[in-house]
């Protein structure tokens, strides 16, 4: 019987920790292209975007499919840099598992993002999210934009993720599964990606 092996490969020319700086800079530049792609997706018009941008100055402009319902406002925004981890099961790469670091607008590390998907703040609060379908592909070279509902928020104490109601992953770059099959079962690849994450709380406004 053939013995299953497990190995991890990062899809890059050098280890991820040596290239994150350049990757982040490139991702920031790629946001302009993402905005253009979004405009094309919406028929070269931003008018179909959800009205939340008019009532919540921190909310991103997104397609209606992943808009967060009225009664919720952005409480925290983080820029995620990391990898999407895929494992070959013999037929497909299966679901991605994230491993990323979130930075605030000043570039400070504020949280970790990992399997679940979960986010854990430096203060210890943890939120678990569940993807709300449908997702939206804005850039065919990047993972989709998604809306997640918080199914368990604030675990581990008070903090930036306490009382979170929804999370949006937008402005994504990279992170897609390889186009080629894995060389053996349990073969693992780590694909670099970036994304903006917006965390919402309920509001009485």
């Amino acid at each position: 019987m053939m013995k299953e092996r497990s190995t991890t490969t990062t899809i890059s020319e050098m280890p991820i920790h040596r290239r994150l700086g350049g990757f982040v800079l490139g991702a920031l530049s790629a946001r302009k292209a993402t905005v253009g792609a979004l405009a094309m997706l919406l028929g070269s018009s931003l008018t179909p975007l959800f009205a939340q941008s008019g009532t919540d100055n921190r909310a991103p402009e997104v397609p209606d499919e992943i808009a967060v319902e009225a009664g919720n406002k952005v409480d925290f925004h983080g820029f995620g840099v990391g990898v999407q981890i895929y494992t070959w099961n013999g037929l497909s790469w299966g679901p991605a598992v994230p491993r990323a670091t979130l930075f605030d607008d000043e570039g400070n590390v504020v949280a970790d993002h990992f399997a679940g998907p979960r986010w854990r703040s430096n203060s210890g609060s943890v939120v678990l999210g569940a993807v709300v379908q449908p997702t939206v592909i804005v850039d065919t070279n990047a993972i989709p934009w998604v809306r997640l509902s918080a199914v368990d928020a604030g675990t581990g104490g008070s903090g930036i993720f306490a009382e979170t109601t929804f999370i949006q992953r937008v402005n994504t770059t990279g992170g897609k599964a390889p186009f080629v099959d894995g060389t053996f079962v349990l073969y693992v690849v780590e694909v670099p990606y970036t994304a903006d994450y917006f965390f919402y709380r309920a509001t009485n406004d």
Side-chain angles (χ1 to χ4, degrees):
M1 185 168 114
M2 183 179 293
K3 202 170 182 183
E4 294 182 343
R5 293 178 292 163
S6 178
T7 188
T8 301
T9 300
T10 299
I11 305 299
S12 62
E13 295 179 356
M14 63 183 70
I16 180 105
H17 67 274
R18 293 179 54 193
R19 65 191 296 268
L20 278 182
F23 186 65
V24 172
L25 291 175
L28 292 173
S29 299
R31 290 189 188 185
K32 293 181 180 179
T34 301
V35 171
L38 179 58
M40 291 181 63
L41 178 70
L42 299 173
S44 299
S45 172
L46 293 181
T47 53
L49 292 177
F50 193 65
Q52 71 184 53
S53 59
T55 58
D56 185 351
N57 293 334
R58 300 183 66 188
E61 292 184 329
V62 298
D64 285 342
E65 291 89 339
I66 63 166
V68 171
E69 60 197 48
N72 298 275
K73 281 195 173 184
V74 173
D75 182 68
F76 174 71
H77 161 250
F79 180 57
V81 179
V83 294
Q84 294 284 328
I85 305 168
Y86 297 91
T87 302
W88 181 250
N89 62 19
L91 298 174
S92 71
W93 286 106
V97 176
R99 187 179 72 238
T101 301
L102 266 62
F103 300 86
D104 65 16
D105 294 336
E106 284 71 50
N108 302 304
V109 174
V110 291
D112 295 321
H113 180 31
F114 51 97
R118 289 179 171 85
W119 294 261
R120 178 178 54 222
S121 71
N122 288 351
S123 61
S125 62
V126 178
V127 58
L128 169 66
V131 174
V132 178
Q133 295 295 335
T135 62
V136 177
I137 297 176
V138 176
D139 179 355
T140 56
N141 295 314
I143 53 178
W145 293 19
V146 300
R147 176 183 56 173
L148 305 98
S149 61
V151 295
D152 189 6
T155 304
S158 61
I160 58 176
F161 298 140
E163 301 179 16
T164 296
T165 52
F166 291 95
I167 306 108
Q168 286 170 326
R169 181 184 73 190
V170 302
N171 302 328
T172 56
T173 67
K176 291 189 68 174
F179 294 108
V180 297
D181 294 350
T183 54
F184 51 82
V185 173
L186 296 184
Y187 187 77
V188 177
V189 295
E190 298 182 349
V191 185
Y193 88 105
T194 67
D196 282 307
Y197 291 94
F198 290 84
F199 299 83
Y200 291 75
R201 286 184 182 179
T203 177
N204 295 321
D205 294 350

